[in-house]
């Protein structure tokens, strides 16, 4: 049954989830800025932005499938095609991780010599996003399946745990700690 208020409530929940996603994606940078130097923020930010490239193939597949997810789940042929496309996305992401791993110094030196201090950070983030691709994004599937309330609760808990883990790891191992915290949540 279609109801304006039900759709409005659903939209508000998706909006809250999106806001939490944005905070989660930037909380590490804010915390590095408060704990470390501006230079560390710049190095970490470049590593994060570069590592997002690993996640793009999977994200494009999920986002382009959202409008027809119920059809995909209920149709064996569409599901087979989706799984094939998922394998391609993971292969592309794996190639990107390999390139980042082999040419980390070259890639980061484009931004300046000091950016090479982010080598480990870029590798941690890249492998982390590849692992996320393998295990899918549960929040995306919860949202697509209509379980937005559950995803918002999970995102709130993730935000709290991410702040705690960032604080501990940034203080102990620096920007590499922020990268570990980022891929954990």
């Amino acid at each position: 049954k279609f109801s304006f208020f039900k759709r409005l409530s659903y939209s508000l929940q998706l909006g809250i989830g999106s806001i939490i996603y944005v905070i989660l994606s930037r909380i590490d940078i804010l915390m590095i800025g408060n704990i470390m130097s501006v230079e560390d923020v710049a190095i970490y930010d470049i590593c994060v932005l570069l590592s997002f490239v690993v996640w793009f193939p999977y994200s494009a597949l999920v986002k382009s499938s959202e409008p027809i997810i119920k059809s995909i789940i209920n149709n064996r042929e569409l599901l087979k095609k989706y799984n094939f496309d998922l394998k391609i996305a993971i292969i592309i992401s794996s190639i990107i991780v390999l390139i980042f791993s082999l040419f980390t110094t070259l890639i980061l030196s484009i931004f300046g010599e000091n950016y090479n201090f982010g080598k480990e950070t870029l590798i941690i983030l890249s492998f982390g996003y590849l692992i996320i691709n393998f295990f899918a994004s549960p929040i995306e599937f919860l949202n697509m399946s209509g379980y937005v309330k559950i995803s918002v609760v999970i995102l709130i808990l993730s935000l709290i745990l991410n702040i705690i883990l960032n604080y501990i790891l940034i203080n102990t191992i620096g920007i590499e700690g922020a990268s570990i915290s980022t891929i954990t949540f």
Side-chain angles (χ1 to χ4, degrees):
K1 181 180 173 186
F2 183 79
S3 163
F4 171 78
F5 293 106
K6 184 176 182 179
R7 295 286 101 200
L8 179 63
S9 171
Y10 185 75
S11 295
L12 289 173
Q13 292 167 27
L14 282 173
I16 291 168
S18 296
I19 291 168
I20 296 170
Y21 252 134
V22 169
I23 294 169
L24 269 169
S25 72
R26 305 319 280 174
I27 195 72
D28 46 358
I29 292 172
L30 293 171
M31 292 183 76
I32 290 169
N34 283 326
I35 297 170
M36 300 179 75
S37 71
V38 173
E39 184 178 23
D40 291 315
V41 171
I43 293 168
Y44 183 79
D45 196 32
I46 288 296
C47 292
V48 168
L49 294 172
L50 286 170
S51 67
F52 277 161
V53 175
V54 174
W55 189 62
F56 284 161
Y58 172 78
S59 177
L61 175 65
V62 169
K63 290 300 180 186
S64 65
S65 302
E66 280 180 351
I68 58 167
I69 193 66
K70 287 184 180 179
S71 300
I72 292 171
I73 292 169
N74 295 325
N75 182 311
R76 189 167 256 162
E77 282 302 312
L78 286 176
L79 186 58
K80 185 177 175 182
K81 172 73 172 119
Y82 179 85
N83 286 332
F84 178 77
D85 291 346
L86 179 59
K87 288 176 187 173
I88 291 172
I90 289 174
I91 289 169
I92 293 169
S93 293
S94 298
I95 292 169
I96 295 167
V97 170
L98 181 64
I99 291 168
F100 282 173
S101 298
L102 294 174
F103 303 106
T104 311
T105 303
L106 177 65
I107 293 167
L108 289 174
S109 66
I110 292 168
F111 302 97
E113 199 60 38
N114 287 348
Y115 284 84
N116 284 323
F117 289 111
K119 286 190 272 191
E120 292 82 11
T121 301
L122 178 58
I123 291 171
I124 291 167
L125 288 167
S126 297
F127 274 102
Y129 285 123
L130 182 62
I131 291 168
I132 290 169
N133 287 349
F134 277 109
F135 292 106
S137 176
I139 297 298
E140 290 293 329
F141 287 104
L142 283 170
N143 288 343
M144 289 189 299
S145 303
Y147 297 102
V148 179
K149 285 181 186 177
I150 294 170
S151 72
V152 169
V153 169
I154 292 169
L155 285 170
I156 290 169
L157 292 173
S158 293
L159 180 61
I160 293 166
L161 293 172
N162 191 278
I163 290 169
I164 293 167
L165 194 57
N166 261 313
Y167 182 77
I168 293 167
L169 292 177
I170 291 170
N171 278 310
T172 55
I173 56 177
I175 62 174
E176 291 84 6
S179 62
I180 293 168
S181 179
T182 295
I183 62 164
T184 304
F185 297 101

